[in-house]
Amino acid sequence: MESVDRLIERLRHLDPTDEDERRAVRAALVELGRGPGGSEVRGYLESALKAELLEVRWELEEVLEVLSPRTEAPPPKEPEPPPHPEETQADDLVTVYDDPRGLVLHRTRTGDHWFATQQDPRSGRPVTFEIPADQVQAVRDQLAGSPYWVIGAR
């Protein structure tokens, strides 16, 4: 798994605008995932993506999608109602970030609670979860330069 670790390390340090290099790293990971021991590589990637930054996670999810293509059509991309607080309804949420690769951030109209909706890589269904209050600023800082912030919603 050293070669997988080296490729993940390359992803972490890539220039965000260097799409050719990202493609090359993804292709190398796909090649490892299709080779001997491919199921071990897929399992390793699935466990590794849980500890990665969002941008690296997205890249690893793309590799896993190629290695494990869906056999059924994906469900409609409507966020599930947030699990808590129970009084929060979907109508009470404002979309503040909408990345077409699969991440949507919502906040309550008062801004007290933030929620994220992402596609579950195993089931392909959108999953909504509340972002802990102490992590909201870290997520905002990590996505600060992204062009997917919804104008006027911040």
Side-chain angles (χ1 to χ4, degrees):
M1 293 302 133
E2 288 181 33
S3 55
V4 174
D5 284 333
R6 282 194 300 266
L7 291 167
I8 292 173
E9 185 67 26
R10 277 177 60 193
L11 279 175
R12 281 189 206 120
H13 298 290
L14 280 177
D15 180 355
T17 60
D18 192 353
E19 188 57 37
D20 291 336
E21 184 64 21
R22 285 185 185 284
R23 235 180 265 120
V25 172
R26 283 193 310 260
L29 286 168
V30 167
E31 184 177 325
L32 287 171
R34 288 185 174 156
S39 62
E40 291 177 17
V41 171
R42 286 189 298 275
Y44 188 80
L45 288 174
E46 286 174 358
S47 64
L49 75 88
K50 295 173 186 171
E52 290 297 332
L53 297 172
L54 282 175
E55 290 182 6
V56 174
R57 239 186 239 184
W58 293 331
E59 299 295 336
L60 296 179
E61 286 173 353
E62 284 186 36
V63 169
L64 288 168
E65 282 179 22
V66 170
L67 294 174
S68 305
R70 277 192 219 113
T71 57
E72 59 186 58
K77 195 177 177 181
E78 290 187 29
E80 296 174 3
H84 60 286
E86 281 126 25
E87 65 273 1
T88 302
Q89 299 291 322
D91 295 342
D92 296 335
L93 298 178
V94 176
T95 300
V96 293
Y97 183 86
D98 191 359
D99 188 327
R101 294 178 287 185
L103 175 67
V104 181
L105 297 179
H106 315 273
R107 66 169 171 76
T108 56
R109 294 195 187 283
T110 59
D112 298 344
H113 299 279
W114 283 62
F115 299 90
T117 301
Q118 285 185 306
Q119 191 173 26
D120 183 341
R122 291 175 293 272
S123 69
R125 305 191 81 172
V127 178
T128 300
F129 54 92
E130 184 171 5
I131 301 171
D134 61 332
Q135 294 179 11
V136 169
Q137 190 58 47
V139 170
R140 291 177 72 182
D141 292 345
Q142 187 175 350
L143 299 172
S146 174
Y148 301 115
W149 287 100
V150 176
I151 296 174
R154 285 177 117 180

